[in-house]
Amino acid sequence: MATLAPYEKRHKVTVLGSGNWGSTISKLVAENTAEHPDLFERDVQMWVFEEEVTYDGSIRKLTDIINTYHENVKFLPNIKLPNNVIANPSVQDAVKDSTVLIFNLPHQFIDNLCNQLKGHILPYARGVSCIKGVNVTASDISLFSESIGARLGIYCGALSGANIATEVAKGLFSETTVAYDPPPMDSSRTATPKGPSPHASHTDLTSLTALTEKKTSSGGKIKLRALPTDYPPLDHTTLHTLFHRPYFHVHVVSDVTAVSLSGALKNVVALAAGFVSGLGWGDNAKAAIMRVGLLEMVKFGHAFFPDSGIRTQTFTEESAGVADLITSCSSGRNFRCAKMAAEEKMKLADEGSEKKSRSVDEIAEEVLNGQVLQGLGTAREVNTFLKSRGREAEFPLMTAVYKIVQGEIAMEDIPEMIQMH
C-alpha cells in the first residue's frame, strides 16, 4: 500500500471521451489512481456524450447505466469498469479542478470540445492526447496534441501504440508509448503558490507572472503556467504510474512528434498492405510494403518536423512506431477494408464479370456503419500537403495509395511505383 507523500494536493484525472478506447483508458487509469493515493485522487471523471440506450428492457441514460452497473453497454459491453470511474455528461463539470486531461475522442470533435473547455480548466493543467492522427492542410501540418495545447494554453503530450481497445480492456497483454516532454518550469518547481488553486475562469492567462514559453514542433510557442509545487511532479515517472498496468506496459519518451506521426501515417501503409494481401501476393509482398512504409514514415517526420527533436528510433523501436505498424498491417480496419476491396476485384475478374468492384470508401461505409476510414482521409490530406510542396515523388508509397483510392492507378501498379526504394 502506498504511503502519503509530502504533497498537499493530488492530481485529479479526467478522460474526455467514452468510446471503446476512451472507456478502456478510463478503466486502466482508474485502477492506478485507486492504487496510488499518494499521487492521484481516487475518482476518475469520464466525460460521456449523453444519449439514451435500451438496457434490460427499458430506455435509460448512458451515464446512469455506467454509474449504476459500471459498464459502458454501448461502446465497451461485457467489460466491468472500476467503481471509481465516474461518467459525467457535463464536460465543464468533468474537468473542474483536474490537473490531468486525457483526450480520447474522434479528431473531428476536437475544435468544438476545446471551445467548450475554454475558461473551465485549470491554467496549469496538462494533457495527454490518445487521438491518432495529424492535422493536415494544403499548406501546413500539425500534431493534434499541439493543436489542443495551443487552443487551451496548456502542454499536451500523446499516447499511441499497438493497442486494440477490446484486447486491452480484457486485460490481454500489450504495450504502448506515452510521449511527454515536461515543460522546463514543471521540472524546476522552485516556488509554492499561496492560497487555493486558481480556476481558469477566474484567471487571466495573459496577466500571470509564472508564465513561460514552450516551442512546438512547427516552431510556434505556447505560453504555459507552471504546475504548483504542492502537486506531485508530472514527469515521466508519474505518467508511467498513471498508465502502466501488469497487462499494459508503458514506455515513456519525449518524442511527441514521432509518436503522433506514427499513429497517423501507419494507416496509409496499412491500406497498401491490405491491397497486396487481397491481391493474393503473400507475406513477402506485405513485408516489403511495411519496410517501405516505415522508411517513408521516418523520412516524412525528418523532412517536415526537422527542429522538433524527432528521433528515428521512436519509429523503429517503440510500440507507437513499428509495433503499431505491424498490428495495423495485420488486422486493423484500414488493412481489412483495403483487403476486401482487392479480394472483390480479384473475384470479379476470375468470374469474367464486367461489374465494377466497390471502392475502399464504399466498403468502409458498409463495414464501419458510415464512419470514415482514417487511412483514406489521411492519404488524401497528406497527398494534398505533399503536392503543394512539390514532393510527391519523394514518398512513392503514400502517393501510390492516394492514386489507388482516387482511381487514378490500379492496385497492381504498387511495385512499379515503389521500385526506387
Side-chain angles (χ1 to χ4, degrees):
M1 181 71 175
T3 57
L4 293 178
Y7 295 104
E8 285 185 38
K9 298 176 181 178
R10 295 163 296 163
H11 292 293
K12 178 182 175 182
V13 181
T14 295
V15 178
L16 294 155
S18 58
N20 61 349
W21 189 221
S23 297
T24 299
I25 288 292
S26 297
K27 174 182 180 291
L28 64 91
V29 164
E31 291 169 353
N32 283 327
T33 59
E35 291 180 8
H36 297 278
D38 53 326
L39 297 175
F40 309 106
E41 293 187 9
R42 184 177 183 275
D43 287 349
V44 172
Q45 293 284 318
M46 180 175 72
W47 173 59
V48 177
F49 183 81
E50 188 68 283
E51 56 186 310
E52 293 185 336
V53 297
T54 300
Y55 182 77
D56 200 21
S58 61
I59 298 177
R60 301 182 59 174
K61 291 181 179 179
L62 181 57
T63 53
D64 290 342
I65 296 172
I66 294 173
N67 290 331
T68 301
Y69 300 101
H70 308 296
E71 179 184 350
N72 188 335
V73 296
K74 180 169 184 179
F75 295 108
L76 196 65
N78 304 314
I79 298 293
K80 282 296 179 183
L81 301 176
N83 61 12
N84 59 321
V85 172
I86 310 301
N88 195 331
S90 168
V91 68
Q92 288 88 0
D93 186 61
V95 300
K96 182 180 179 182
D97 296 332
S98 291
T99 49
V100 180
L101 307 175
I102 303 173
F103 296 84
N104 205 322
L105 69 166
H107 66 83
Q108 60 265 33
F109 302 124
I110 292 176
D111 286 345
N112 184 48
L113 175 68
C114 288
N115 288 336
Q116 295 180 66
L117 292 180
K118 286 181 180 178
H120 296 279
I121 64 172
L122 293 175
Y124 47 78
R126 299 292 182 252
V128 176
S129 170
C130 300
I131 305 164
K132 291 186 177 182
V134 287
N135 188 24
V136 186
T137 65
S139 59
D140 192 24
I141 183 168
S142 61
L143 314 178
F144 283 130
S145 56
E146 291 185 345
S147 298
I148 292 169
R151 294 287 299 275
L152 298 177
I154 65 173
Y155 175 74
C156 187
L159 180 152
S160 186
N163 307 139
I164 296 174
T166 52
E167 294 182 6
V168 178
K170 292 176 182 177
L172 302 179
F173 170 66
S174 63
E175 58 180 6
T176 200
T177 307
V178 172
Y180 193 87
D181 187 16
M185 73 283 203
D186 283 2
S187 300
S188 58
R189 300 166 57 84
T190 54
T192 302
K194 304 294 184 181
S197 301
H199 291 278
S201 56
H202 302 140
T203 307
D204 179 4
L205 292 180
T206 62
S207 67
L208 293 171
T209 57
L211 288 174
T212 191
E213 292 182 338
K214 184 170 179 63
K215 289 185 177 180
T216 66
S217 62
S218 58
K221 294 180 180 180
I222 301 174
K223 287 187 176 181
L224 301 175
R225 173 78 183 274
L227 179 72
T229 55
D230 46 7
Y231 287 98
L234 270 177
D235 53 16
H236 282 195
T237 300
T238 304
L239 287 172
H240 184 273
T241 303
L242 180 61
F243 289 104
H244 183 89
R245 298 297 296 160
Y247 59 87
F248 189 67
H249 288 190
V250 172
H251 189 206
V252 188
V253 301
S254 298
D255 190 358
V256 180
T257 302
V259 168
S260 299
L261 280 178
S262 295
L265 299 180
K266 55 94 178 180
N267 289 324
V268 181
V269 182
L271 289 173
F275 292 144
V276 299
S277 293
L279 292 173
W281 290 358
D283 292 335
N284 292 339
K286 187 168 73 171
I289 292 296
M290 293 168 65
R291 183 193 71 84
V292 173
L294 184 59
L295 287 176
E296 291 196 8
M297 289 164 58
V298 173
K299 184 176 182 178
F300 192 98
H302 286 288
F304 301 113
F305 295 87
D307 301 320
S308 66
I310 193 167
R311 300 174 70 247
T312 298
Q313 292 93 327
T314 306
F315 292 97
T316 59
E317 298 177 7
E318 295 297 331
S319 178
V322 65
D324 198 10
L325 179 65
I326 292 170
T327 298
S328 299
C329 291
S330 302
S331 60
R333 62 177 61 178
N334 292 281
F335 170 80
R336 287 186 283 110
C337 289
K339 183 179 180 182
M340 288 174 63
E343 288 174 336
E344 184 174 299
K345 177 183 178 181
M346 294 293 291
K347 181 181 179 181
L348 291 174
D350 290 342
E351 295 172 350
S353 173
E354 295 183 0
K355 181 181 177 181
K356 184 179 180 181
S357 60
R358 292 177 296 168
S359 67
V360 182
D361 290 271
E362 292 169 330
I363 289 176
E365 185 174 358
E366 176 185 319
V367 174
L368 304 178
N369 296 316
Q371 297 181 60
V372 177
L373 200 62
Q374 282 187 321
L376 293 174
T378 302
R380 290 169 175 138
E381 292 169 353
V382 167
N383 184 262
T384 299
F385 175 75
L386 292 175
K387 187 177 294 183
S388 71
R389 300 294 182 97
R391 302 186 69 167
E392 283 180 289
E394 298 177 40
F395 300 89
L397 181 62
M398 294 186 195
T399 300
V401 171
Y402 167 76
K403 290 186 175 181
I404 291 169
V405 299
Q406 293 299 107
E408 297 178 16
I409 65 172
M411 302 172 190
E412 292 85 351
D413 294 331
I414 289 179
E416 181 180 353
M417 290 285 292
I418 67 172
Q419 64 181 333
M420 296 304 293
H421 262 297

